[in-house]
Amino acid sequence: MSFNSNSTSNNNNNNNNNNFFETSASIHDTTDQQLNTQQQQQQDGSEGAQHHPLNLPHDNEQHAGMTEIELKDFTNLRSSSGSVGSSAGGGGGSSGQLSKSSSMVQIKDQLDEQDTQIPLYYSMTKEKQRKKILKLRSKLKNKFKNKDGTTTTTSTAISPQSPKGFTPNNNKKKKKQGDEPVEVSNDHMIPLEELSTKFSTNLNLDDLKYSMGITSKDAEERLERDGPNALTPKKPVPKWVKFLLQFLSLFPLMLEIGGILSFVAYGVDKESGSDNLYLGIILWAVVLFTTIFTFLQESKSAHVMDGFKKLAPTSTKVVRDSHLIEINSEKLVVGDVIHIRAGDRIPADIRIIYSHHLKVDNASLTGESEPQSRTAECTDENAFETSNLAFYGTMAVDGDCVGVVIATGNQTTIGKIARLATHTKPLPTPLKTEIEQFIRIITIVSISLGLILLVVGFATKVKWILVIIYCISVVVAQVPEGLLPTITVLLTLTATRMSKKNVLVKNLLAVETFGSTSTIASDKTGTLTQNIMTVVHLWYDGAVYSCDAISPNNYMNKESKTFKELFKIAALCSRTVFDRSDPNWDSTPIQQRNTIGDASESALLKFCEQVENVEGYRRHYPKIFEIPFNSVNKWQLSVHIDESNGNIFLLIKGAPERIVKMCTTIMSDGESIPISDGHMENFQQSYELLAGKGERALGMAMINLDPKVFHKDYVFDVDEKNFPTEGFTFVGLTTLMDPPRPSVPGAIEDCKKAGVRVMMVTGDHPLTAQSIARQIGIIQGETLNDVAKNEGIDVLDVDFSKAGGIVIPGSRLDDLTDEHWNKILALKQIVFARTSPEQKLIIVSECQKRGEIVAVTGDGVNDSPALKKADLGCAMGITGSEVAKEAAAIVLLDDNFSSIVSGIEEGRMIFDKLKKSITYTLSSNVPELTPFLCFFLLKLPAALSGILILCIDLGTDLVPVISYSYEYPETDLMNRKPRNIKTDKLVSFKLAIFSYVWLGFVQCAAGFFNFFMMFRTHGISASDLFYTSSDYFMDGAADFMGYTAGQQMSMLKEAQSAYFIAVIITRMGAALSCKTRTLSLFQHGFKNMVFNCGLISMLGVGLIIVHVPGIQDFFGATAVSYKFWLYPIPFAVFLVIVNEIRLYIVRRDPTGLVARYTYW
């Protein structure tokens, strides 16, 4: 291979580099991402004749510099994963003519050419490869077989009224919608004659561009039968139903039943049961407050279908009755022939029958950041990989085409993804699960205690109304009434704080899930990367230059003469312009401006605009001729005239291996010199280096035309090629990529410190995915794929202890056993590439089956099912599709992946805070329950009334409990491992022991001390009170130790008030004991002013209830001596001192006996 047929001086050099350029010819294909048909390669003459027909992926970010061996094995890899093979000639040959992702003959030929293979990803023996291909063929055949053994073209049933094989839009199925996997038809594989017959449409096989389609009458019949070309929305649940459902949750239901029983007790005995009326009113007030508050704060149900509707175009150009007309896209039917041009959204799934340089943006569907070329040739059995299908909702960004509608509405690929997302049932959050479990336990305990005491009470002489009243009080004592509003307020406050960090919380209970997350499965395009193609490096004058001004590496020299020529080619040899439809386009930052044109040229345009105003620059060098990029030439050419001197020059850019073959000289310091071996070696090394980073390279060359021949009026002819096509001067390279978001590497490092694994799950190619994963830190060091390559075995057969990372393409997921999944998911560095929406669901499910709490981040339509299935779905707010936002529980408003780190910290703080709140709340159950147990079992007068219980739970306790929401983290939460939801429960046995046995009994002891001391002031000892409640201390009771019934009730009210005061004082000590879990109170400090105010409010509320006339009567309390405010203080101090000693021991010996049994 030589650069020029007339150049002999460089033959040796060119021969040395022949292997490099020949084998990388398609790896760095400019903009076009698939191989052309063998016909096109033959038309390309000598440039394509030597090139082996490889199966290449659909993305541009490829590695360069692969050896012939690697490329051949890469062919085998893509073959097994459904990649593009050499296409059949014509407008869709039979499947027999199609290369089935790689035929056995091709594989055999390649293996024969090179016996010793070193695979790029999966090294297989000939026999293994043969078996795999046979297995793939068998799966594909079975996939499209009906029960009778015949082959069907779609995954849906066929209407008997339809033309043969015709797929109606809304046929009834036995299966539930959403149960079937996301499959697409194989209509891209059948010959055009069969396609025409199948859909009863008129295709002009002589000139497909002028196909006539169907008649208006046929269209009306099909529209009536199949329904409109629109996604069927799920019937929304009315808001009033959602509100009423709030009352049926288990926690509110308990309070509602308690309230109803209180009203019943009041109705039975209005004179002695007035407390029950107040109790019922308060319980129902709590229910109404919490349900209304929760209803208003929580996000509405996800209307996934609404998001999909926004993808639909409004009108489409269609051929009906032999006329091209424009109709509402909802009136499209299968068999319609439609015309698409750049800027149009694809209105349905279409089979392309004619294409003129069409490119479509599949980012929202497949995650590929680069536009994909679309032709009329079938290039793969896999519908997602073939080049002759375009999918509903994707965007045509360049060129034009004619296509036949093969699926509409719900039967489109996006329609099936919509059903998959809609019917994917989200799992309850870990917090919701634990709260419900806790409530069930409390419910069973409280109702059981109530029923037992009810039986005991009726078996004694106690008045029946008192039995009912006190049994209700027992139930109320066990129900933590303040917990529901506490949780709601805590989550709401946290969600408000997170919103200030640009994190929108749609589901309040999802906030804590952040802290429990053990795995983040993140999409690549638009989430980890910016979804904006950017110029990142230049190569000229023998050196690689960075285009990032803040980069520590070699920044480009704008004053270099060679750079100026490189700039000239990038700015002028382009068809892309800025979109001026936005009146503020010129004030918008350059990188954020919208453009009209190809993504690669848009990147070059934005790069050039930062150097010099491109529009003004182009005016000095008007374009007089151009040849747009096409998949045959793989280059773009333009001719310009210098208005200052009239000189004409030709610029060309494209695939570097094509461009460099057309050059005989290279530019160095602005001068053209012959290409030497040293130049080529430098070029090759630089090319491989940049390609190894996942960057796409464009070669730039130019030639000054002879003014004697080429003048202003010269007529350039594209067919005759009456202009130079060789002898160019190679100026340099520009490399482009979709760069990672700047904050992502740091965020991933923070996640690792927090014990959270971040794995990439993308629809993009494995090479691109691995390159980005290395740049952002998901993969570090050698992978198991590298080990497999070196050892010459399949990656799944490698000893998994030899490396910490792996890259798995979606095509391998069906082959994975549970043992494989266990091995893969035990790794810390994982990348899943080329995954479909259904495969993303499988990955999430497999993680969840192994006890992982999975957060999924994404922005595209293809991410929405996984977002909904995950324990926590996080969508991007700016670049994210409406579908993704609706399916997710969390929306990152600024698209900042690092916001997830803030979310993890907030989630872990919530778990700590909830533990503190619950520990403190439950500790009141013992002093509230014990008086009633003593009443029934020991016949002591009731030391506490039901109304005073609510005064504690919803009066004195409410502010301190909520104040834990404002606590600062004790230690560096981000250095802890994620909690194990199976062992580290919100309410654990150790927490119950600490709360009930320790805090609860000390409070109970203080309460009874005050209670008995109050009776002692009246000359009644504690022993005198046992076995008295059946006959005394009630209305109408006989005299007791000289005290009348009225005096007995007055003494009891004083004693109950004393008990109430003692509980309040000791609960202040309990609140301080629950303030920290590890640190000393004095280490942690008292910066939380809400907590400080809460302690004061406890005293204030107690004083008001006990000493303010009117209020004390309402709550059944009475004023007591100051001594009864002082007696409980030692108990509170004792709680704090013992707890400080416990915390000191825990800090000194975190694994010791005390820590194991008391650290809650």
Side-chain angles (χ1 to χ4, degrees):
M1 176 181 67
S2 63
F3 292 103
N4 187 284
S5 59
N6 298 323
S7 175
T8 58
S9 61
N10 297 313
N11 280 344
N12 292 335
N13 174 62
N14 296 332
N15 289 332
N16 292 337
N17 293 283
N18 180 66
N19 184 62
F20 169 71
F21 290 119
E22 290 296 316
T23 57
S24 60
S26 294
I27 292 297
H28 288 276
D29 182 358
T30 309
T31 310
D32 182 58
Q33 298 164 347
Q34 302 173 345
L35 276 182
N36 303 293
T37 62
Q38 295 179 15
Q39 278 184 330
Q40 289 174 324
Q41 290 174 338
Q42 292 167 0
Q43 291 170 2
D44 197 31
S46 60
E47 290 178 343
Q50 301 174 10
H51 186 73
H52 189 79
L54 298 176
N55 299 324
L56 291 185
H58 280 236
D59 79 283
N60 296 324
E61 301 171 76
Q62 306 296 338
H63 284 281
M66 295 182 186
T67 65
E68 186 76 6
I69 298 170
E70 288 173 329
L71 283 174
K72 286 173 184 173
D73 191 76
F74 181 56
T75 303
N76 298 343
L77 166 64
R78 292 297 296 131
S79 301
S80 65
S81 63
S83 64
V84 179
S86 56
S87 62
S94 69
S95 59
Q97 296 170 314
L98 173 67
S99 170
K100 294 182 180 258
S101 297
S102 184
S103 69
M104 299 238 341
V105 176
Q106 285 176 317
I107 292 174
K108 185 178 184 302
D109 290 342
Q110 293 168 15
L111 290 171
D112 290 341
E113 288 175 18
Q114 187 71 357
D115 291 333
T116 56
Q117 295 193 48
I118 303 177
L120 179 63
Y121 269 93
Y122 305 101
S123 180
M124 302 179 185
T125 62
K126 297 179 185 179
E127 182 62 20
K128 250 188 172 179
Q129 182 69 51
R130 185 182 72 81
K131 288 181 178 179
K132 188 165 185 66
I133 296 301
L134 288 174
K135 182 179 178 182
L136 176 63
R137 282 184 175 180
S138 176
K139 284 172 90 175
L140 286 168
K141 284 182 180 179
N142 293 333
K143 183 177 178 181
F144 299 108
K145 278 189 178 179
N146 290 323
K147 290 183 179 179
D148 59 1
T150 60
T151 301
T152 186
T153 55
T154 62
S155 59
T156 57
I158 298 173
S159 172
Q161 290 80 22
S162 306
K164 182 181 178 182
F166 186 82
T167 306
N169 202 26
N170 296 319
N171 42 342
K172 295 181 181 178
K173 301 180 184 180
K174 291 181 181 179
K175 267 190 178 184
K176 262 188 180 178
Q177 279 192 342
D179 290 346
E180 70 279 1
V182 177
E183 296 178 353
V184 290
S185 72
N186 65 345
D187 292 325
H188 62 292
M189 297 167 54
I190 63 177
L192 291 175
E193 295 88 345
E194 186 178 336
L195 186 76
S196 177
T197 303
K198 175 181 177 180
F199 293 109
S200 298
T201 185
N202 184 358
L203 300 183
N204 185 348
L205 300 178
D206 295 326
D207 193 345
L208 292 165
K209 186 176 182 181
Y210 298 103
S211 297
M212 295 296 103
I214 62 176
T215 65
S216 296
K217 184 179 179 181
D218 289 338
E220 289 176 4
E221 291 174 355
R222 297 181 189 187
L223 184 64
E224 183 178 356
R225 180 187 61 229
D226 303 331
N229 176 34
L231 302 177
T232 305
K234 186 178 178 182
K235 188 176 180 180
V237 179
K239 291 184 178 179
W240 64 270
V241 174
K242 294 178 184 177
F243 178 69
L244 291 180
L245 288 174
Q246 296 283 343
F247 290 88
L248 298 180
S249 298
L250 193 55
F251 211 158
L253 208 55
M254 284 183 61
L255 299 181
E256 291 161 20
I257 293 172
I260 291 171
L261 291 176
S262 299
F263 290 139
V264 170
Y266 172 74
V268 172
D269 189 349
K270 293 184 179 179
E271 294 182 3
S272 60
S274 59
D275 282 359
N276 289 312
L277 175 63
Y278 304 144
L279 184 62
I281 291 172
I282 293 173
L283 287 174
W284 272 94
V286 172
V287 170
L288 286 172
F289 170 76
T290 53
T291 50
I292 292 173
F293 192 74
T294 304
F295 175 75
L296 294 177
Q297 290 296 325
E298 287 187 347
S299 63
K300 307 299 182 289
S301 302
H303 298 293
V304 177
M305 302 307 299
D306 292 340
F308 282 99
K309 278 185 173 181
K310 295 182 181 180
L311 294 173
T314 55
S315 63
T316 304
K317 293 180 177 63
V318 61
V319 180
R320 295 266 178 91
D321 301 319
S322 302
H323 295 289
L324 184 65
I325 60 174
E326 191 164 346
I327 65 171
N328 188 312
S329 61
E330 291 191 359
K331 295 182 179 180
L332 281 179
V333 296
V334 289
D336 265 327
V337 172
I338 64 173
H339 288 239
I340 301 293
R341 62 182 180 181
D344 293 343
R345 283 196 183 273
I346 309 300
D349 284 358
I350 63 172
R351 158 83 178 265
I352 297 170
I353 58 176
Y354 166 82
S355 173
H356 180 255
H357 308 310
L358 178 69
K359 292 191 180 79
V360 294
D361 182 2
N362 281 347
S364 66
L365 183 64
T366 64
E368 294 162 308
S369 56
E370 266 291 289
Q372 308 298 300
S373 293
R374 288 293 176 259
T375 66
E377 287 76 33
C378 179
T379 55
D380 203 289
E381 284 186 338
N382 187 333
F384 286 106
E385 301 285 354
T386 188
S387 64
N388 66 338
L389 285 185
F391 299 105
Y392 175 69
T394 58
M395 176 72 79
V397 295
D398 195 15
D400 54 80
C401 79
V402 178
V404 178
V405 176
I406 60 174
T408 60
N410 292 336
Q411 298 307 315
T412 61
T413 302
I414 282 185
K416 292 172 183 177
I417 296 175
R419 291 205 305 275
L420 189 62
T422 304
H423 291 273
T424 299
K425 187 176 180 181
L427 292 176
T429 64
L431 180 61
K432 183 178 181 181
T433 302
E434 293 200 29
I435 288 175
E436 288 180 349
Q437 184 179 5
F438 168 65
I439 292 171
R440 280 195 293 270
I441 294 171
I442 289 294
T443 303
I444 293 171
V445 170
S446 60
I447 292 177
S448 299
L449 278 173
L451 291 175
I452 291 171
L453 296 180
L454 190 67
V455 172
V456 172
F458 282 126
T460 61
K461 297 189 298 181
V462 179
K463 190 177 180 182
W464 71 269
I465 187 62
L466 289 180
V467 172
I468 293 177
I469 291 173
Y470 289 151
C471 283
I472 293 174
S473 298
V474 167
V475 174
V476 171
Q478 291 304 299
V479 177
E481 294 87 357
L483 187 58
L484 183 58
T486 298
I487 291 173
T488 305
V489 171
L490 171 59
L491 295 176
T492 303
L493 290 173
T494 305
T496 303
R497 282 201 305 273
M498 292 178 70
S499 69
K500 295 177 181 177
K501 299 177 182 179
N502 292 312
V503 178
L504 174 64
V505 179
K506 295 172 58 184
N507 180 356
L508 290 180
L509 287 173
V511 178
E512 192 276 333
T513 310
F514 253 136
S516 306
T517 298
S518 58
T519 295
I520 298 174
S522 178
D523 180 43
K524 178 184 73 70
T525 306
T527 304
L528 300 175
T529 64
Q530 300 176 31
N531 199 18
I532 301 174
M533 290 301 289
T534 306
V535 178
V536 287
H537 287 104
L538 305 175
W539 180 85
Y540 62 88
D541 287 344
V544 176
Y545 294 90
S546 171
C547 297
D548 186 356
I550 62 174
S551 172
N553 299 322
N554 194 18
Y555 184 59
M556 60 187 184
N557 178 14
K558 298 180 183 179
E559 301 304 319
S560 165
K561 293 180 181 179
T562 308
F563 172 82
K564 292 180 179 179
E565 295 302 319
L566 194 69
F567 171 84
K568 179 185 290 186
I569 300 169
L572 300 181
C573 189
S574 173
R575 307 177 73 192
T576 300
V577 296
F578 286 113
D579 184 359
R580 293 173 172 266
S581 60
D582 182 0
N584 300 319
W585 75 273
D586 54 345
S587 60
T588 304
I590 293 174
Q591 286 297 331
Q592 297 177 20
R593 294 181 190 176
N594 294 326
T595 58
I596 301 174
D598 178 79
S600 297
E601 287 195 349
S602 297
L604 291 173
L605 174 63
K606 293 174 181 179
F607 165 72
C608 292
E609 186 72 12
Q610 296 176 39
V611 178
E612 184 176 341
N613 180 267
V614 174
E615 186 177 352
Y617 188 80
R618 288 175 176 175
R619 283 197 293 266
H620 292 299
Y621 304 100
K623 185 186 299 181
I624 59 177
F625 175 74
E626 75 170 347
I627 299 178
F629 177 89
N630 64 66
S631 55
V632 176
N633 295 329
K634 302 188 187 302
W635 46 253
Q636 178 179 351
L637 177 149
S638 64
V639 179
H640 302 261
I641 183 170
D642 187 341
E643 290 198 332
S644 63
N645 55 27
N647 291 338
I648 296 177
F649 53 91
L650 187 152
L651 309 176
I652 188 169
K653 77 173 191 291
E657 61 280 352
R658 291 292 179 92
I659 299 299
V660 78
K661 286 195 297 184
M662 304 165 72
C663 298
T664 55
T665 58
I666 189 169
M667 186 168 288
S668 178
D669 296 326
E671 301 293 333
S672 296
I673 60 176
I675 299 179
S676 67
D677 290 346
H679 291 138
M680 290 309 306
E681 183 179 355
N682 181 292
F683 169 77
Q684 180 174 335
Q685 291 175 352
S686 301
Y687 191 13
E688 292 176 349
L689 171 68
L690 297 173
K693 296 180 178 181
E695 299 175 17
R696 286 188 52 245
L698 293 175
M700 306 281 191
M702 65 179 297
I703 187 172
N704 291 313
L705 301 180
D706 185 353
K708 295 178 181 179
V709 179
F710 302 96
H711 47 79
K712 187 175 183 180
D713 298 324
Y714 184 83
V715 179
F716 292 86
D717 193 310
V718 67
D719 295 321
E720 295 183 6
K721 292 189 177 178
N722 57 347
F723 48 84
T725 57
E726 56 186 20
F728 291 93
T729 297
F730 193 81
V731 178
L733 292 173
T734 60
T735 63
L736 307 91
M737 71 178 299
D738 180 11
R741 294 180 181 275
S743 59
V744 167
I748 289 177
E749 185 60 31
D750 289 339
C751 288
K752 288 182 178 180
K753 291 178 181 177
V756 179
R757 175 180 60 187
V758 181
M759 63 184 188
M760 183 187 293
V761 183
T762 177
D764 221 333
H765 184 267
L767 291 178
T768 306
Q770 180 176 349
S771 174
I772 295 296
R774 288 191 182 278
Q775 292 180 54
I776 60 180
I778 289 180
I779 287 183
Q780 295 174 331
E782 191 177 42
T783 65
L784 289 169
N785 308 95
D786 301 324
V787 176
K789 170 183 170 181
N790 295 332
E791 296 183 359
I793 60 176
D794 184 80
V795 71
L796 297 178
D797 296 331
V798 172
D799 181 357
F800 272 54
S801 64
K802 292 185 176 181
I806 192 171
V807 180
I808 294 286
S811 59
R812 296 298 302 268
L813 296 188
D814 289 341
D815 301 330
L816 299 181
T817 64
D818 282 343
E819 183 182 357
H820 289 144
W821 277 112
N822 290 335
K823 288 181 179 180
I824 291 170
L825 295 179
L827 299 172
K828 296 297 183 184
Q829 305 172 24
I830 308 174
V831 172
F832 290 98
R834 278 287 188 245
T835 54
S836 67
E838 188 181 23
Q839 287 170 337
K840 291 186 178 184
L841 272 180
I842 292 172
I843 293 166
V844 172
S845 298
E846 290 294 336
C847 290
Q848 290 173 333
K849 277 167 59 177
R850 286 155 181 80
E852 301 270 4
I853 300 298
V854 184
V856 172
T857 67
D859 65 338
V861 174
N862 57 328
D863 300 316
S864 57
L867 285 169
K868 200 165 185 181
K869 173 68 174 174
D871 298 287
L872 183 70
C874 305
M876 299 293 129
I878 299 174
T879 59
S881 66
E882 291 300 318
V883 184
K885 295 176 191 175
E886 291 295 335
I890 302 287
V891 179
L892 307 180
L893 298 177
D894 58 354
D895 284 12
N896 190 350
F897 184 84
S898 60
S899 298
I900 292 177
V901 178
S902 301
I904 292 173
E905 187 171 12
E906 287 285 353
R908 292 186 177 185
M909 281 196 290
I910 281 181
F911 185 74
D912 271 14
K913 293 171 183 178
L914 280 177
K915 264 189 170 289
K916 295 173 183 178
S917 296
I918 290 174
T919 304
Y920 175 71
T921 301
L922 293 182
S923 68
S924 67
N925 285 4
V926 173
E928 291 172 353
L929 173 64
T930 306
F932 300 106
L933 292 176
C934 292
F935 174 83
F936 284 106
L937 300 178
L938 301 178
K939 300 298 186 294
L940 277 175
L944 201 61
S945 65
I947 197 73
L948 286 178
I949 290 175
L950 289 182
C951 288
I952 295 172
D953 292 345
L954 297 174
T956 59
D957 275 359
L958 196 57
V959 177
V961 168
I962 293 176
S963 72
Y964 289 119
S965 306
Y966 296 89
E967 279 297 339
Y968 297 92
E970 294 180 51
T971 56
D972 188 1
L973 295 174
M974 296 306 290
N975 286 333
R976 296 183 191 173
K977 291 182 179 180
R979 75 180 179 97
N980 187 328
I981 60 170
K982 293 182 179 179
T983 57
D984 192 3
K985 298 289 187 181
L986 186 64
V987 182
S988 62
F989 178 74
K990 289 185 287 186
L991 182 147
I993 293 296
F994 181 81
S995 181
Y996 285 119
V997 177
W998 172 241
L999 298 180
F1001 275 101
V1002 172
Q1003 295 173 57
C1004 189
F1008 275 109
F1009 180 83
N1010 248 16
F1011 181 76
F1012 291 133
M1013 288 300 293
M1014 178 59 73
F1015 275 107
R1016 191 176 180 82
T1017 60
H1018 295 284
I1020 301 174
S1021 66
S1023 58
D1024 295 330
L1025 295 172
F1026 286 93
Y1027 300 101
T1028 59
S1029 62
S1030 300
D1031 302 310
Y1032 306 104
F1033 299 99
M1034 65 182 71
D1035 292 333
D1039 290 352
F1040 175 71
M1041 297 181 67
Y1043 292 100
T1044 63
Q1047 291 172 326
Q1048 294 173 35
M1049 293 301 294
S1050 177
M1051 282 190 296
L1052 179 61
K1053 188 176 290 188
E1054 289 179 359
Q1056 288 178 340
S1057 299
Y1059 188 98
F1060 172 71
I1061 290 169
V1063 171
I1064 291 175
I1065 299 298
T1066 49
R1067 286 193 65 69
M1068 292 176 69
L1072 290 169
S1073 299
C1074 296
K1075 186 177 172 68
T1076 62
R1077 296 177 63 202
T1078 305
L1079 295 180
S1080 164
L1081 277 174
F1082 305 101
Q1083 288 177 318
H1084 187 60
F1086 295 87
K1087 294 182 291 184
N1088 183 0
M1089 296 309 297
V1090 179
F1091 179 84
N1092 299 338
C1093 293
L1095 293 180
I1096 297 172
S1097 72
M1098 294 177 75
L1099 288 173
V1101 171
L1103 286 168
I1104 291 171
I1105 290 174
V1106 172
H1107 291 282
V1108 175
I1111 295 178
Q1112 59 182 202
D1113 295 332
F1114 178 83
F1115 290 109
T1118 187
V1120 296
S1121 169
Y1122 72 92
K1123 292 184 295 184
F1124 296 96
W1125 288 91
L1126 299 178
Y1127 289 150
I1129 292 178
F1131 291 88
V1133 174
F1134 176 69
L1135 278 176
V1136 174
I1137 292 174
V1138 173
N1139 189 61
E1140 283 293 306
I1141 296 171
R1142 180 188 69 84
L1143 291 176
Y1144 174 76
I1145 298 172
V1146 168
R1147 290 194 302 273
R1148 288 290 302 269
D1149 188 8
T1151 59
L1153 188 66
V1154 174
R1156 286 202 305 270
Y1157 289 100
T1158 67
Y1159 178 72
W1160 44 273

